[in-house]
Amino acid sequence: MRRVRSPQLLAGLLAGAGVAHFLLPKPFDSIVPRTLPGSPRAWTYASGAVELALAAGIALPHTRRRTAGAAAAFFVAVAPANVKMAVDWRDRPAPLRRAAAARVPLQVPLVLWARKVARDAA
């Protein structure tokens, strides 16, 4: 039963994150690495749109394998934003500092989860 729900849970996580990028963009703007060209808001909206597209692709069985593989790559690609957040929040209160630091290693299980969804869909 868990295998059946895993893709839907991953799709739900991505959809929720994607919607959050549009409803509450400011926190996401602040973690966009400054080395990226263009405005942080454009990157926030673009990554939100990618998350929504990945959610849709994972939710559909016939596109799940490829899209879950793309999600794994996406989780790797956004890791620098989480590193930036951890560095920028070094002077915040301890609970916020720990939360920001926890986002960095959290990328590893997300990548592994997406890869497993892709393998199970094959």
Side-chain angles (χ1 to χ4, degrees):
M1 187 66 131
R2 183 173 178 212
R3 256 189 200 162
V4 174
R5 284 193 297 212
S6 182
Q8 283 71 33
L9 292 172
L10 181 58
L13 175 92
L14 284 160
V19 168
H21 279 69
F22 290 97
L23 295 181
L24 302 165
K26 273 190 171 185
F28 297 102
D29 293 348
S30 70
I31 65 171
V32 172
R34 302 284 178 239
T35 55
L36 292 174
S39 74
R41 182 62 51 92
W43 286 102
T44 293
Y45 287 156
S47 62
V50 168
E51 286 171 326
L52 291 171
L54 291 169
I58 290 169
L60 299 171
H62 68 281
T63 57
R64 182 169 296 146
R65 184 177 59 78
R66 285 188 187 166
T67 309
F74 177 79
F75 290 137
V76 171
V78 299
N82 293 329
V83 170
K84 182 182 183 313
M85 183 180 185
V87 169
D88 290 349
W89 286 30
R90 286 177 301 196
D91 297 330
R92 300 266 175 118
L96 294 175
R97 194 171 57 243
R98 282 193 294 272
R103 289 179 57 134
V104 177
L106 183 60
Q107 294 305 113
V108 173
L110 289 172
V111 170
L112 296 174
W113 184 13
R115 290 184 62 197
K116 181 165 178 15
V117 167
R119 276 192 314 273
D120 290 349

